[in-house]
Amino acid sequence: MTLLEYLFKKDIIDREKRGALEYEIKTSGKTEEEVIIERGIIPEKPLFDFKSQNLKIPLRDVAPEDVVLKVLELIPYDSAKYYKMIPISKKDDQIDIGMVYPEDLKAQEALKFLSRQAKFSYKIFLITLTNFDNISKQYRSLKEEVEKALTELEVELKTGEAGEAPMKKTEFERKAEEAPVTKIVAVILRHAVEGSASDIHVEPTKKDLRVRFRLDGILHASLILPLKVHPAVVARIKILSNLKIDETRLPQDGRFSINIGEKNIDFRVSTLPTTLGEKVVLRILDPSQGLVSLESLGLRVRNLEILKRAIQRPYGMILSTGPTGSGKTTTLYSVLHLLNKIGVNIITLEDPVEYFIEGINQSQVKPEIGYTFATGLRHILRQDPNVIMVGEIRDGETASLAVNAALTGHIVLSTLHTNNALGVIPRLIDLGVAPFLMPSSLSVAIAQRLARRLCPHCKKEASPNPKVKEMIISELSVLPPSAKEDIKLSKSFKIYEPVGCAKCRSEGYSGRIAFFEVLEMTPQLAEIILKEPTESKIKEEAFRQGMITMKQDGMLKVLGGVTSLAEVLRVAEEK
C-alpha cells in the first residue's frame, strides 16, 4: 500500500485531495512525501509516523553528531544520496541503516549488494528527509575536503598549454603560498585538532604521500595524497614554522600557532630527511590540555600523598622517568601549576618549550649556539629562583648542577630516561653524582607509562576468564601490605572491556591515563645508597615503603574500570 493509499484509508486525506496529489506527483517527478510536505498538508514528523505504521518499520530520530565517520563510509556518499539511505550505527557486525524510502525495491537491491561487498548484516529503520539531510552532512570528511583542494591544485600542477614547459621543482615554493595547498594544510591541521590527535605525521612513500594522526598514543592512517604535492605541502608547513624552504638535506625544528575554533593551538614541527623525501612531524600542543590536575593524570592514594609532600618541601629534586612520549613533561607541568604563586620565582629550561604558562619564566635551550641545559642552569642560579625545571638530565654536568641546586635550597624538577623508578638512583650514579649527595638532594623518583582510557559512554562490564582472573590475583597478591588495605578483591570481581561508540570514534577508548610508581627518599633508602645502591636492595626498600609497580597500578585501574587489561599488558608488561 502506497503512502497516499494509507492516508486515504485512514481518512487523513479525502478522494479529491488524493487525486490532486497523485497528479502533481506524476507530473513533477517528486515523491509522495516531498509533495505532501511542500504543500503543507501534513508536517514531516507526523507524516513519517503514518509511513512507519503503514510499512511496519520503526522510525528513528538520529542525532547527526552520534553517527561515526567510520560507519558512514560503509555506504559511499553517491549511493547514499541517490537511494536516500545511510548507515546510522554499528553493533558488532550489524549495521543499522536509516532509509527514507525503504519501500523502494531498487534501494533494497543496492543495499543487499553493498552488504555482500562490505560483509555486514543490517537492520532497516525509517528516517525523515530532514534527518537524512542532516546526517549526510557528516560525510564532509577530511578526505573529501582535501580532495576538493587537490582538484584545484591538480590544474595548477599540470603542464599548461601545448609548448609550455613542465613546472620546475622550485615553483613548489610559490605554490606553497597559494590557496589550494594552504587549504590542504589548514584542513589537515583542523581535523587533527578536532579529532583530539596529539601528533600529525606527513610521510612520503614510493607511491604517495601518507598523513597519519596519533590518537591516544596509537597512529592511524588518515589520508593518502598524490606524491607530487609532497614538496608543496612540506614547503607550506616550513613557511608557517619559519624554517628554510630550500634546506632539504638537514633536519629542522620550528613551531607556529594558529586559531582553530576559539582556541589558539601551538604546533611543534620537526622535519627529517629520508631516502624518499622529507618527513614532517607536527606535535599538537593545546594549552588547555597541558595543565591538568595530578589526580586527573592518574596519581592516587599513596603516590599522590608522597608527591604533594615533596612539593611542600622548600628544596629537593623531583625526577620523572620513562621513555619518550610517556607523559613525563605533562606531570612536571602539573607540579609547576601547583607551585605557580605570586611569591614564587619559577624558571624553566626546556628543549623545546611545550606549553606557555602565565607567571613562569620559560627558556628554550639552543645547543647549536652553546646554550645547553648545563650552561642555562648555571645562569638560572644567578636569577634567584625558588623552583627550577630542567627539561632533561642528559649528562654528568647537568646532573651535578641539578643536585647542587637542590642542595642549596631550590626545588628542582627534571626528567631522566630509565625503565622504572628503581633505576633513577643507579642512573644518577652512572652520570657521576656522588652517592653521599643523593639522600639530601633527591626527594622523589616517579616512573610512568601512558595507556588509553576506556570510553565512559560505551565500556561494558565483563567477568574475567579463569586465566585472566588468575593473572590479576597473582599480580595484586604481592602488593605491599599498606596498598592491600586500599582494595577488596572478591572472588567474583568484574573488569571492563572496550566496545566503541560515536563518542569515541568506535575505538572503545577516549583519552589517556598514566600508570605510576613513586619512590620516596627515606632514612632506610639513604642508608642503602651510601652502602650498597643496587637495584635489588632499592627494590626491597621500595616494597617496605609500600610502593606499587606501574603494572600493579595499571591492574588497580583495570578493577576501577578506568582502562582495560589489554592496555596494561601493552604498556606496563615487563619485556
Side-chain angles (χ1 to χ4, degrees):
M1 190 185 301
T2 67
L3 183 57
L4 278 178
E5 288 169 347
Y6 181 77
L7 294 173
F8 175 70
K9 185 183 175 183
K10 291 284 184 180
D11 294 326
I12 308 296
I13 57 172
D14 57 26
R15 189 178 298 279
E16 186 183 342
K17 193 170 280 184
R18 175 184 167 184
L21 289 170
E22 283 175 340
Y23 177 76
E24 186 174 340
I25 290 162
K26 190 175 180 180
T27 55
S28 69
K30 294 177 181 176
T31 65
E32 294 175 313
E33 294 83 353
E34 287 169 338
V35 171
I36 292 169
I37 293 165
E38 281 175 16
R39 292 191 59 173
I41 294 168
I42 304 172
E44 185 182 56
K45 178 65 172 62
L47 178 65
F48 274 81
D49 281 331
F50 286 127
K51 183 170 180 174
S52 173
Q53 293 164 22
N54 180 34
L55 297 176
K56 294 181 174 52
I57 295 173
L59 177 67
R60 280 270 291 268
D61 184 19
V62 184
E65 61 272 17
D66 289 343
V67 182
V68 182
L69 187 58
K70 271 186 184 177
V71 174
L72 279 180
E73 288 170 350
L74 290 167
I75 294 182
Y77 177 66
D78 291 339
S79 300
K81 189 177 179 184
Y82 184 79
Y83 294 110
K84 292 285 191 289
M85 61 182 184
I86 200 160
I88 51 180
S89 64
K90 179 182 179 183
K91 190 171 183 182
D92 299 324
D93 289 329
Q94 181 175 292
I95 310 297
D96 289 347
I97 305 291
M99 298 182 78
V100 178
Y101 306 113
E103 71 276 18
D104 182 352
L105 295 177
K106 287 183 180 176
Q108 291 278 6
E109 285 301 316
L111 182 55
K112 281 178 189 173
F113 173 77
L114 290 166
S115 71
R116 285 196 300 269
Q117 292 288 101
K119 295 178 182 173
F120 63 82
S121 59
Y122 60 86
K123 185 177 179 183
I124 293 172
F125 291 87
L126 183 67
I127 57 172
T128 65
L129 281 159
T130 301
N131 205 193
F132 172 82
D133 290 339
N134 290 336
I135 297 169
S136 62
K137 288 174 186 173
Q138 298 294 98
Y139 272 104
R140 183 183 71 96
S141 65
L142 168 62
K143 184 179 176 184
E144 291 198 349
E145 287 194 55
V146 170
E147 277 177 357
K148 254 189 207 176
L150 273 175
T151 306
E152 297 172 36
L153 187 61
E154 281 290 326
V155 177
E156 298 180 9
L157 295 182
K158 282 178 184 173
T159 305
E161 296 172 5
E164 216 177 282
M167 183 189 292
K168 294 176 183 176
K169 186 178 177 180
T170 52
E171 291 184 43
F172 278 106
E173 295 172 17
R174 180 176 58 81
K175 291 295 170 198
E177 287 282 24
E178 295 181 358
V181 172
T182 302
K183 198 182 293 180
I184 288 170
V185 173
V187 167
I188 290 170
L189 298 180
R190 178 167 57 79
H191 275 270
V193 171
E194 289 175 354
S196 302
S198 60
D199 302 88
I200 305 167
H201 291 242
V202 181
E203 307 160 313
T205 67
K206 284 186 177 179
K207 294 181 181 176
D208 42 46
L209 180 65
R210 180 173 66 176
V211 179
R212 294 192 290 171
F213 293 166
R214 190 181 293 280
L215 301 164
D216 296 332
I218 308 292
L219 276 172
H220 297 267
S222 300
L223 185 65
I224 301 294
L225 299 173
L227 190 57
K228 62 178 133 183
V229 305
H230 172 242
V233 169
V234 172
R236 175 61 187 160
I237 295 169
K238 283 183 173 180
I239 287 166
L240 287 170
S241 316
N242 202 23
L243 300 177
K244 294 177 183 174
I245 295 175
D246 56 348
E247 180 55 82
T248 58
R249 302 162 302 159
L250 295 172
Q252 296 186 72
D253 293 312
R255 71 187 295 151
F256 64 91
S257 298
I258 59 170
N259 285 316
I260 294 178
E262 296 180 357
K263 289 196 232 174
N264 186 262
I265 306 292
D266 291 335
F267 292 85
R268 196 175 82 203
V269 179
S270 170
T271 70
L272 181 74
T274 72
T275 52
L276 298 171
E278 282 185 287
K279 172 177 175 171
V280 181
V281 175
L282 299 95
R283 168 67 61 88
I284 301 169
L285 304 169
D286 182 349
S288 65
Q289 302 296 318
L291 297 176
V292 292
S293 69
L294 295 173
E295 291 87 346
S296 299
L297 291 174
L299 282 155
R300 55 186 295 280
V301 197
R302 171 192 174 271
N303 292 346
L304 184 61
E305 287 171 9
I306 289 173
L307 186 53
K308 284 187 172 177
R309 198 156 56 232
I311 292 168
Q312 288 162 5
R313 293 184 65 191
Y315 63 90
M317 283 199 300
I318 298 172
L319 297 181
S320 180
T321 182
T324 303
S326 60
K328 301 185 298 295
T329 306
T330 301
T331 300
L332 294 186
Y333 272 126
S334 297
V335 173
L336 283 180
H337 186 56
L338 291 175
L339 292 166
N340 189 10
K341 296 181 175 68
I342 193 68
V344 179
N345 179 18
I346 302 175
I347 304 178
T348 74
L349 272 177
E350 302 174 61
D351 184 22
V353 174
E354 291 202 8
Y355 299 100
F356 295 106
I357 307 173
E358 190 71 33
I360 292 178
N361 308 285
Q362 295 171 272
S363 181
Q364 182 164 322
V365 299
K366 294 179 181 174
E368 66 273 14
I369 59 169
Y371 184 40
T372 62
F373 283 123
T375 308
L377 195 44
R378 276 198 205 90
H379 289 278
I380 278 178
L381 292 169
R382 297 172 194 158
Q383 295 277 321
D384 189 29
N386 301 105
V387 179
I388 301 166
M389 185 179 103
V390 181
E392 185 183 342
I393 294 176
R394 297 174 180 169
D395 53 59
E397 189 179 5
T398 308
S400 176
L401 287 164
V403 166
N404 284 319
L407 289 170
T408 52
H410 305 89
I411 293 177
V412 179
L413 311 176
S414 193
T415 68
L416 273 176
H417 283 287
T418 66
N419 290 327
N420 51 40
L422 307 179
V424 167
I425 291 161
R427 175 67 179 144
L428 289 173
I429 293 170
D430 286 344
L431 288 170
V433 175
F436 70 88
L437 294 175
M438 232 171 290
S440 305
S441 59
L442 180 64
S443 294
V444 170
I446 307 164
Q448 65 184 86
R449 297 287 187 279
L450 281 180
R452 293 180 292 173
R453 278 182 187 268
L454 283 167
C455 173
H457 303 285
C458 65
K459 66 182 180 181
K460 68 174 182 182
E461 196 177 72
S463 297
N465 63 46
K467 191 175 178 183
V468 168
K469 186 181 280 190
E470 188 184 339
M471 183 196 303
I472 293 173
I473 291 172
S474 169
E475 192 66 41
L476 298 184
S477 65
V478 293
L479 278 172
S482 58
K484 282 182 182 175
E485 292 170 10
D486 299 327
I487 64 161
K488 291 176 182 177
L489 202 59
S490 66
K491 290 181 180 178
S492 58
F493 65 85
K494 302 288 185 182
I495 61 173
Y496 289 82
E497 293 177 348
V499 177
C501 66
K503 304 280 187 188
C504 63
R505 306 175 300 275
S506 291
E507 295 288 336
Y509 296 95
S510 180
R512 290 197 278 179
I513 189 77
F515 304 152
F516 290 96
E517 56 186 40
V518 177
L519 180 67
E520 184 179 24
M521 183 58 67
T522 60
Q524 294 89 338
L525 181 57
E527 195 174 330
I528 289 168
I529 292 170
L530 294 172
K531 289 182 179 177
E532 191 182 352
T534 61
E535 202 158 310
S536 59
K537 287 286 184 184
I538 296 168
K539 188 174 183 179
E540 287 175 19
E541 164 57 16
F543 185 82
R544 190 204 64 77
Q545 282 185 20
M547 186 189 92
I548 59 173
T549 66
M550 285 180 282
K551 188 175 179 183
Q552 289 168 339
D553 191 33
M555 293 290 189
L556 292 172
K557 287 178 169 104
V558 167
L559 295 180
V562 179
T563 190
S564 67
L565 182 63
E567 280 297 287
V568 176
L569 298 178
R570 181 176 71 85
V571 304
E573 178 81 319
E574 292 181 9
K575 308 297 181 190

